[in-house]
Amino acid sequence: MARLIIQGGNIVSPDGTVHADLLIENEKIAGILAHADPQPEDTLIDASGLLVLPGIIDAHTHIQLDTGIYQTADNWEIGSKAAAAGGVTTVIDFANQLKDKPFADALAARQAEAVQSIIDYAFHMVILEPAHDLKQLEDDLESLLDLGITSLKLFTTYRPNYYLDDAALWHIFQTMPSGMVAMVHCENDSLVTDATQRLIEQDKTNWAYHAESRPEEAEIEAVNRVMNLATLPVGRSKTYIAHCSTSYSVFDVKQYRDKGYSVYCETCPQYLLLDDSVYAGSQPEHYILQPPLRSEHDRRSLREFVQAGMVDVISTDTCDYNLAQKQANPDFTQTPGGLPGIETLFLLMYTLFCDKLGEPVAKIANLMTVNPARIFGLYPRKGILAAGSDADVVLYDPLPESTISHKNLHYVADYSPYEGMRVKGKVRMTLSRGEIIYRDGEFLGKTGRGRFIHSQPYSTTRP
Ligand SMILES: [Zn+2]
């Protein structure tokens, strides 16, 4: 039996960090031992001085994205390699519902692209046209569970392609099976459309005005409305508010949680590290994304809310557009939105919260491992180092310091929103199902080795 022992590292579990050996047999974790006795045929990896973490899960990625207007510059091989270099061993990406076709076709179409991946992947299903007949809608949503999809993605904005009105959201919330979670992009489309239209009337469409076109009130209103719709009258729908950019959104989610509802919230590194001052800077096009960057006050409050345990998941919403695409038209209404970030997710969050703010590694790692695994039905297969779990492991050296430069990153965007930031630590090795796929700058995992992971209904993964 092929055994691998990661010796003498600091193993990060949901409750804390222990100095121990990690034993891997074939694709699975066999155990955490104070001292594992090596056999002659075992492969040994010295992890002294290193953090041994569960593989990072990025629960919100857009690899090889085609919005119908823009296509990101990456593909699944590039995107999954960038992920592996950043210690990410599972992504939860999106499959878009296809017009008049069953969800199985939408999943198959997306799987055909992801087949290049070197890491494992799961999907949220983007609902674009919910069936009008409510019994049909219920059956449709139920059928997703058999396909291994336990989360929906719903949009309150982006007319006409993605937008769902209140009635559509309401019907989905009423009919979705209890094992399912609805991830919602919350921005009030009417407020965004109005603000954008007023800027156009004043010829204020250059990149500097991007944030004004999507005011924070649009997000705050939609977050509140979505939670209201999701919890009235049955209160059973599980809701996940994607990419909270304002501190008020996180605060409002907490109000609902305190009432006993299953509502979760996500934020992203960009909202914790950057603010809207960049739109007055020399490269505002680097920061076109939806929702946009907010005030310094919001950035600081969001950090405090993460520290206070009010945020469930940190993910990237990564979109790998290059500068040629970002700069093709100096008009924010004609510029693809989204930032590259998958490779720097853990690095940036470790630096901010653990190195600078002194938070325990386990507390921050949980937001990118066990929490998304539980909410999206991957636990306990993913998100934890425990006997029987997939041997997805990251060895992180907490000591080296470096400066972020897009030249050292593996995605194709020829810029980084975090260019020049000082960071602490480095991913030394990434294992996926017991196989070393990345080591000290070198990719060892074969293109296409990644697998589609069937998510399990919520009740089986949430304690
Ligand atoms: Zn997104």
Side-chain angles (χ1 to χ4, degrees):
M1 183 169 287
R3 298 205 323 173
L4 197 150
I5 303 173
I6 298 177
Q7 294 178 307
N10 295 308
I11 298 182
V12 180
S13 69
D15 304 319
T17 303
V18 291
H19 187 79
D21 293 349
L22 184 73
L23 181 63
I24 295 168
E25 285 186 14
N26 298 315
E27 298 198 342
K28 301 284 184 186
I29 308 277
I32 295 172
L33 306 164
H35 176 76
D37 266 329
Q39 305 297 309
E41 63 278 14
D42 290 345
T43 303
L44 306 179
I45 295 172
D46 178 11
S48 33
L50 305 182
L51 293 167
V52 180
L53 297 136
I56 302 299
I57 298 170
D58 191 339
H60 188 158
T61 63
H62 297 284
I63 294 172
Q64 195 174 328
L65 171 69
D66 184 347
T67 68
I69 307 169
Y70 306 110
Q71 289 83 39
T72 55
D74 63 346
N75 59 32
W76 275 86
E77 181 179 10
I78 293 164
S80 65
K81 282 186 168 173
V88 174
T89 53
T90 307
V91 291
I92 315 179
D93 207 287
F94 300 86
N96 285 4
Q97 181 182 11
L98 300 172
K99 194 172 172 54
D100 299 327
K101 297 244 175 77
F103 286 130
D105 291 15
L107 175 61
R110 193 62 171 141
Q111 278 178 308
E113 297 173 347
V115 75
Q116 287 185 301
S117 183
I118 73 162
I119 61 165
D120 291 346
Y121 47 89
F123 293 111
H124 312 284
M125 183 61 70
V126 183
I127 306 297
L128 301 174
E129 293 194 344
H132 183 73
D133 180 82
L134 296 184
K135 181 73 184 87
Q136 183 65 50
L137 179 60
E138 189 170 3
D139 291 347
D140 289 351
L141 297 177
E142 182 81 32
S143 75
L144 283 169
L145 298 179
D146 294 331
L147 298 175
I149 294 184
T150 59
S151 48
L152 310 175
K153 177 73 180 285
L154 311 174
F155 289 88
T156 62
T157 186
Y158 303 136
R159 281 177 209 266
N161 297 335
Y162 290 86
Y163 173 82
L164 296 174
D165 67 17
D166 289 352
L169 292 171
W170 163 253
H171 292 314
I172 292 166
F173 291 142
Q174 283 191 308
T175 52
M176 60 192 258
S178 63
M180 193 166 267
V181 179
M183 172 195 259
V184 192
H185 177 129
C186 296
E187 286 184 287
N188 179 308
D189 190 74
S190 175
L191 295 191
V192 167
T193 303
D194 173 74
T196 305
Q197 198 52 44
R198 286 168 190 273
L199 289 165
I200 292 170
E201 286 165 13
Q202 299 169 70
D203 269 333
K204 291 179 174 174
T205 59
N206 70 57
W207 295 312
Y209 293 101
H210 171 61
E212 287 180 40
S213 73
R214 311 185 82 88
E216 68 175 350
E217 290 80 359
E219 175 178 307
I220 292 165
E221 191 285 326
V223 167
N224 189 271
R225 176 164 38 94
V226 162
M227 290 193 296
N228 212 8
L229 287 169
T231 56
L232 286 173
V234 284
R236 67 165 197 179
S237 296
K238 286 145 191 89
T239 321
Y240 176 97
I241 308 296
H243 47 50
C244 292
S245 68
T246 84
S247 52
Y248 195 86
S249 300
V250 176
F251 180 78
D252 204 15
V253 169
K254 184 174 186 303
Q255 306 307 302
Y256 272 76
R257 184 113 41 109
D258 288 349
K259 290 181 205 163
Y261 295 122
S262 299
V263 184
Y264 303 98
C265 70
E266 168 192 274
T267 192
C268 312
Q270 52 269 32
Y271 304 116
L272 295 161
L273 289 165
L274 305 169
D275 60 54
D276 59 8
S277 62
V278 297
Y279 298 118
S282 58
Q283 295 162 322
E285 74 276 19
H286 290 200
Y287 307 97
I288 303 292
L289 78 166
Q290 298 89 13
L293 301 174
R294 306 299 186 183
S295 68
E296 193 198 340
H297 170 80
D298 264 313
R299 175 168 63 81
R300 289 184 179 281
S301 300
L302 280 172
R303 289 179 181 186
E304 285 168 17
F305 287 176
V306 169
Q307 292 184 277
M310 290 161 62
V311 169
D312 299 285
V313 173
I314 299 178
S315 70
T316 62
D317 198 5
T318 200
C319 292
D320 198 354
Y321 293 110
N322 61 31
L323 276 185
Q325 293 177 292
K326 285 281 189 191
Q327 295 172 338
N329 193 332
D331 177 331
F332 70 80
T333 68
Q334 306 292 324
T335 301
L339 308 182
I342 196 166
E343 190 170 351
T344 48
L345 169 63
F346 185 75
L347 179 68
L348 289 169
M349 295 298 92
Y350 176 84
T351 301
L352 173 62
F353 287 109
C354 305
D355 188 56
K356 288 204 182 111
L357 297 173
E359 293 292 344
V361 180
K363 176 176 165 182
I364 299 308
N366 287 349
L367 306 179
M368 294 165 269
T369 54
V370 71
N371 287 8
R374 281 186 161 146
I375 294 168
F376 295 116
L378 303 175
Y379 182 85
R381 181 168 178 188
K382 306 287 191 189
I384 189 165
L385 298 177
S389 298
D390 280 357
D392 295 352
V393 188
V394 189
L395 302 192
Y396 193 79
D397 185 344
L399 293 181
E401 281 189 41
S402 61
T403 301
I404 290 198
S405 163
H406 72 270
K407 296 193 188 87
N408 302 327
L409 296 169
H410 298 88
Y411 50 68
V412 279
D414 36 3
Y415 75 102
S416 166
Y418 311 103
E419 195 79 26
M421 278 191 191
R422 293 290 293 168
V423 285
K424 192 79 188 268
K426 188 178 176 40
V427 171
R428 295 281 304 280
M429 190 184 292
T430 305
L431 292 91
S432 165
R433 283 179 278 105
E435 181 185 348
I436 299 170
I437 58 168
Y438 173 83
R439 183 174 57 203
D440 293 324
E442 198 184 345
F443 292 98
L444 303 168
K446 264 192 13 217
T447 299
R449 64 166 297 289
R451 285 189 201 145
F452 171 62
I453 305 295
H454 282 246
S455 296
Q456 301 300 314
Y458 177 93
S459 56
T460 61
T461 60
R462 191 79 196 164

